[in-house]
Amino acid sequence: MAKLYFRYGAMNSGKSTNMLQAAFNYEERGQQVLLTKPQIDTKGDTAIVSRLGVTRPVDFLITPQDDLWDLFTQKRAQFEAKTGKPLNCLLVDEAQFLTEAQIDDLLRIAIGTRRRVGRRIVPGAAVVGSVVPARMRNPSMTRFPATRMATTGPLSMNSTSGS
């Protein structure tokens, strides 16, 4: 069974910085990472930017109209064809800007199923308190949470704006 964690905190609490550090750590161990964020988040244009000045381009942007399952499946296949290596991690910044259907898609990616999740998923920012069980929340600022996908590894999402 997949594990799904949302990293959340106040603005300027270091969520994006920690996510960029997590990407570095995965890659340092030889694991493959894709980074994305909603297109509506214009901070940094097509990059994730931390207040500390660390910047990294995203691999793709998510528009409100995107079917995230299909988009992820396509980007993952392109990545694996290009690199010849399996994708290990998908990191999503500013997840509170995703649509209800896109949050549902992320949950489906995490548990590795194409069918819709049985419950109604609420919009991005409210997802932490109302969908994710308490045992799966991680409000700690010292550990970056991740979601284990069925065959590829962690999926992580920052869920409150700010760095």
Side-chain angles (χ1 to χ4, degrees), residues 14-37:
K15 296 174 303 298
S16 294
T17 302
N18 285 337
M19 190 176 75
L20 293 171
Q21 182 179 352
F24 176 84
N25 290 341
Y26 283 117
E27 291 169 340
E28 188 175 52
R29 293 188 307 257
Q31 296 178 316
Q32 310 305 308
V33 177
L34 284 179
L35 274 78
T36 188
K37 70 177 189 174

mmCIF file of all heavy atoms in Angstrom, residues 14-37:
data_model
loop_
_atom_site.group_PDB
_atom_site.id
_atom_site.type_symbol
_atom_site.label_atom_id
_atom_site.label_comp_id
_atom_site.label_asym_id
_atom_site.label_seq_id
_atom_site.Cartn_x
_atom_site.Cartn_y
_atom_site.Cartn_z
ATOM 1 N N GLY A 14 10.075 27.214 4.788
ATOM 2 C CA GLY A 14 11.128 26.406 4.185
ATOM 3 C C GLY A 14 10.674 25.184 3.411
ATOM 4 O O GLY A 14 11.480 24.307 3.111
ATOM 5 N N LYS A 15 9.400 25.107 3.053
ATOM 6 C CA LYS A 15 8.892 23.911 2.364
ATOM 7 C C LYS A 15 9.546 23.712 0.999
ATOM 8 O O LYS A 15 10.004 22.614 0.686
ATOM 9 C CB LYS A 15 7.373 24.005 2.215
ATOM 10 C CG LYS A 15 6.623 24.014 3.536
ATOM 11 C CD LYS A 15 5.147 24.245 3.353
ATOM 12 C CE LYS A 15 4.817 25.531 2.629
ATOM 13 N NZ LYS A 15 5.251 26.756 3.308
ATOM 14 N N SER A 16 9.617 24.762 0.195
ATOM 15 C CA SER A 16 10.233 24.634 -1.131
ATOM 16 C C SER A 16 11.727 24.360 -1.014
ATOM 17 O O SER A 16 12.284 23.563 -1.768
ATOM 18 C CB SER A 16 9.984 25.895 -1.968
ATOM 19 O OG SER A 16 8.608 26.030 -2.245
ATOM 20 N N THR A 17 12.380 25.005 -0.069
ATOM 21 C CA THR A 17 13.803 24.756 0.162
ATOM 22 C C THR A 17 14.032 23.292 0.512
ATOM 23 O O THR A 17 14.928 22.640 -0.034
ATOM 24 C CB THR A 17 14.327 25.662 1.302
ATOM 25 O OG1 THR A 17 14.098 27.021 0.948
ATOM 26 C CG2 THR A 17 15.803 25.428 1.553
ATOM 27 N N ASN A 18 13.206 22.754 1.405
ATOM 28 C CA ASN A 18 13.338 21.346 1.791
ATOM 29 C C ASN A 18 13.050 20.417 0.622
ATOM 30 O O ASN A 18 13.678 19.368 0.486
ATOM 31 C CB ASN A 18 12.410 21.020 2.963
ATOM 32 C CG ASN A 18 12.934 21.584 4.265
ATOM 33 O OD1 ASN A 18 14.111 21.834 4.411
ATOM 34 N ND2 ASN A 18 12.038 21.792 5.217
ATOM 35 N N MET A 19 12.100 20.801 -0.232
ATOM 36 C CA MET A 19 11.793 19.967 -1.387
ATOM 37 C C MET A 19 12.969 19.937 -2.359
ATOM 38 O O MET A 19 13.322 18.877 -2.882
ATOM 39 C CB MET A 19 10.546 20.448 -2.102
ATOM 40 C CG MET A 19 10.093 19.457 -3.152
ATOM 41 S SD MET A 19 8.569 19.902 -3.951
ATOM 42 C CE MET A 19 9.161 21.186 -5.010
ATOM 43 N N LEU A 20 13.590 21.093 -2.595
ATOM 44 C CA LEU A 20 14.762 21.132 -3.474
ATOM 45 C C LEU A 20 15.910 20.325 -2.871
ATOM 46 O O LEU A 20 16.654 19.645 -3.593
ATOM 47 C CB LEU A 20 15.180 22.579 -3.738
ATOM 48 C CG LEU A 20 14.179 23.390 -4.569
ATOM 49 C CD1 LEU A 20 14.577 24.858 -4.593
ATOM 50 C CD2 LEU A 20 14.061 22.834 -5.974
ATOM 51 N N GLN A 21 16.051 20.379 -1.563
ATOM 52 C CA GLN A 21 17.068 19.574 -0.888
ATOM 53 C C GLN A 21 16.759 18.086 -1.031
ATOM 54 O O GLN A 21 17.649 17.273 -1.265
ATOM 55 C CB GLN A 21 17.152 19.951 0.588
ATOM 56 C CG GLN A 21 18.218 19.191 1.345
ATOM 57 C CD GLN A 21 18.288 19.614 2.803
ATOM 58 O OE1 GLN A 21 17.652 20.568 3.222
ATOM 59 N NE2 GLN A 21 19.068 18.883 3.578
ATOM 60 N N ALA A 22 15.481 17.720 -0.920
ATOM 61 C CA ALA A 22 15.091 16.319 -1.086
ATOM 62 C C ALA A 22 15.415 15.840 -2.496
ATOM 63 O O ALA A 22 15.923 14.727 -2.679
ATOM 64 C CB ALA A 22 13.600 16.138 -0.790
ATOM 65 N N ALA A 23 15.137 16.670 -3.502
ATOM 66 C CA ALA A 23 15.466 16.307 -4.888
ATOM 67 C C ALA A 23 16.965 16.058 -5.020
ATOM 68 O O ALA A 23 17.399 15.069 -5.625
ATOM 69 C CB ALA A 23 15.017 17.407 -5.850
ATOM 70 N N PHE A 24 17.762 16.941 -4.445
ATOM 71 C CA PHE A 24 19.218 16.774 -4.471
ATOM 72 C C PHE A 24 19.619 15.458 -3.799
ATOM 73 O O PHE A 24 20.449 14.710 -4.325
ATOM 74 C CB PHE A 24 19.889 17.959 -3.767
ATOM 75 C CG PHE A 24 21.377 17.814 -3.659
ATOM 76 C CD1 PHE A 24 22.197 18.179 -4.715
ATOM 77 C CD2 PHE A 24 21.958 17.299 -2.502
ATOM 78 C CE1 PHE A 24 23.584 18.039 -4.618
ATOM 79 C CE2 PHE A 24 23.330 17.156 -2.403
ATOM 80 C CZ PHE A 24 24.142 17.525 -3.465
ATOM 81 N N ASN A 25 19.020 15.172 -2.655
ATOM 82 C CA ASN A 25 19.367 13.948 -1.920
ATOM 83 C C ASN A 25 19.004 12.690 -2.707
ATOM 84 O O ASN A 25 19.773 11.724 -2.726
ATOM 85 C CB ASN A 25 18.687 13.930 -0.552
ATOM 86 C CG ASN A 25 19.263 14.965 0.387
ATOM 87 O OD1 ASN A 25 20.366 15.472 0.191
ATOM 88 N ND2 ASN A 25 18.502 15.320 1.405
ATOM 89 N N TYR A 26 17.828 12.679 -3.339
ATOM 90 C CA TYR A 26 17.456 11.532 -4.169
ATOM 91 C C TYR A 26 18.479 11.333 -5.284
ATOM 92 O O TYR A 26 18.952 10.226 -5.529
ATOM 93 C CB TYR A 26 16.066 11.712 -4.787
ATOM 94 C CG TYR A 26 14.928 11.458 -3.825
ATOM 95 C CD1 TYR A 26 14.048 12.474 -3.478
ATOM 96 C CD2 TYR A 26 14.712 10.195 -3.281
ATOM 97 C CE1 TYR A 26 12.999 12.246 -2.605
ATOM 98 C CE2 TYR A 26 13.670 9.956 -2.411
ATOM 99 C CZ TYR A 26 12.812 10.990 -2.070
ATOM 100 O OH TYR A 26 11.775 10.755 -1.210
ATOM 101 N N GLU A 27 18.811 12.415 -5.967
ATOM 102 C CA GLU A 27 19.746 12.330 -7.098
ATOM 103 C C GLU A 27 21.152 11.957 -6.640
ATOM 104 O O GLU A 27 21.862 11.231 -7.346
ATOM 105 C CB GLU A 27 19.735 13.634 -7.878
ATOM 106 C CG GLU A 27 18.415 13.825 -8.589
ATOM 107 C CD GLU A 27 18.202 15.194 -9.180
ATOM 108 O OE1 GLU A 27 18.874 16.157 -8.753
ATOM 109 O OE2 GLU A 27 17.350 15.304 -10.077
ATOM 110 N N GLU A 28 21.533 12.401 -5.475
ATOM 111 C CA GLU A 28 22.841 12.045 -4.928
ATOM 112 C C GLU A 28 22.949 10.536 -4.703
ATOM 113 O O GLU A 28 24.023 9.952 -4.806
ATOM 114 C CB GLU A 28 23.051 12.804 -3.610
ATOM 115 C CG GLU A 28 24.446 12.678 -3.043
ATOM 116 C CD GLU A 28 24.635 13.542 -1.821
ATOM 117 O OE1 GLU A 28 23.798 13.440 -0.878
ATOM 118 O OE2 GLU A 28 25.603 14.300 -1.789
ATOM 119 N N ARG A 29 21.822 9.889 -4.433
ATOM 120 C CA ARG A 29 21.775 8.435 -4.243
ATOM 121 C C ARG A 29 21.524 7.697 -5.559
ATOM 122 O O ARG A 29 21.254 6.498 -5.558
ATOM 123 C CB ARG A 29 20.687 8.073 -3.240
ATOM 124 C CG ARG A 29 20.979 8.539 -1.826
ATOM 125 C CD ARG A 29 19.982 7.992 -0.829
ATOM 126 N NE ARG A 29 18.596 8.245 -1.184
ATOM 127 C CZ ARG A 29 17.823 9.178 -0.630
ATOM 128 N NH1 ARG A 29 18.306 9.963 0.291
ATOM 129 N NH2 ARG A 29 16.572 9.314 -1.013
ATOM 130 N N GLY A 30 21.554 8.425 -6.679
ATOM 131 C CA GLY A 30 21.378 7.800 -7.976
ATOM 132 C C GLY A 30 19.933 7.568 -8.370
ATOM 133 O O GLY A 30 19.653 6.832 -9.312
ATOM 134 N N GLN A 31 18.999 8.187 -7.662
ATOM 135 C CA GLN A 31 17.588 8.041 -7.986
ATOM 136 C C GLN A 31 17.145 9.164 -8.921
ATOM 137 O O GLN A 31 17.723 10.245 -8.924
ATOM 138 C CB GLN A 31 16.747 8.024 -6.709
ATOM 139 C CG GLN A 31 17.068 6.817 -5.841
ATOM 140 C CD GLN A 31 16.283 6.815 -4.558
ATOM 141 O OE1 GLN A 31 16.154 7.826 -3.894
ATOM 142 N NE2 GLN A 31 15.752 5.645 -4.211
ATOM 143 N N GLN A 32 16.111 8.882 -9.703
ATOM 144 C CA GLN A 32 15.630 9.807 -10.728
ATOM 145 C C GLN A 32 14.415 10.583 -10.223
ATOM 146 O O GLN A 32 13.479 9.993 -9.689
ATOM 147 C CB GLN A 32 15.277 9.033 -11.997
ATOM 148 C CG GLN A 32 16.373 8.085 -12.478
ATOM 149 C CD GLN A 32 17.711 8.780 -12.684
ATOM 150 O OE1 GLN A 32 17.788 9.787 -13.363
ATOM 151 N NE2 GLN A 32 18.754 8.229 -12.087
ATOM 152 N N VAL A 33 14.424 11.903 -10.448
ATOM 153 C CA VAL A 33 13.404 12.792 -9.905
ATOM 154 C C VAL A 33 12.792 13.663 -11.010
ATOM 155 O O VAL A 33 13.508 14.146 -11.879
ATOM 156 C CB VAL A 33 14.025 13.720 -8.837
ATOM 157 C CG1 VAL A 33 13.011 14.716 -8.307
ATOM 158 C CG2 VAL A 33 14.620 12.915 -7.703
ATOM 159 N N LEU A 34 11.472 13.853 -10.955
ATOM 160 C CA LEU A 34 10.791 14.869 -11.752
ATOM 161 C C LEU A 34 10.206 15.889 -10.783
ATOM 162 O O LEU A 34 9.656 15.516 -9.748
ATOM 163 C CB LEU A 34 9.648 14.277 -12.577
ATOM 164 C CG LEU A 34 9.987 13.481 -13.825
ATOM 165 C CD1 LEU A 34 8.708 12.966 -14.490
ATOM 166 C CD2 LEU A 34 10.792 14.303 -14.810
ATOM 167 N N LEU A 35 10.321 17.171 -11.129
ATOM 168 C CA LEU A 35 9.723 18.239 -10.342
ATOM 169 C C LEU A 35 8.638 18.919 -11.157
ATOM 170 O O LEU A 35 8.785 19.113 -12.367
ATOM 171 C CB LEU A 35 10.761 19.289 -9.955
ATOM 172 C CG LEU A 35 11.556 19.010 -8.689
ATOM 173 C CD1 LEU A 35 12.629 18.009 -8.947
ATOM 174 C CD2 LEU A 35 12.130 20.284 -8.146
ATOM 175 N N THR A 36 7.559 19.299 -10.484
ATOM 176 C CA THR A 36 6.467 20.002 -11.145
ATOM 177 C C THR A 36 5.808 20.950 -10.169
ATOM 178 O O THR A 36 6.040 20.882 -8.956
ATOM 179 C CB THR A 36 5.438 19.011 -11.736
ATOM 180 O OG1 THR A 36 4.503 19.745 -12.523
ATOM 181 C CG2 THR A 36 4.725 18.217 -10.666
ATOM 182 N N LYS A 37 4.996 21.838 -10.719
ATOM 183 C CA LYS A 37 4.185 22.741 -9.910
ATOM 184 C C LYS A 37 3.028 23.221 -10.769
ATOM 185 O O LYS A 37 3.083 23.134 -12.002
ATOM 186 C CB LYS A 37 5.003 23.927 -9.393
ATOM 187 C CG LYS A 37 5.426 24.918 -10.458
ATOM 188 C CD LYS A 37 6.163 26.091 -9.839
ATOM 189 C CE LYS A 37 6.411 27.190 -10.854
ATOM 190 N NZ LYS A 37 6.996 28.380 -10.245
#
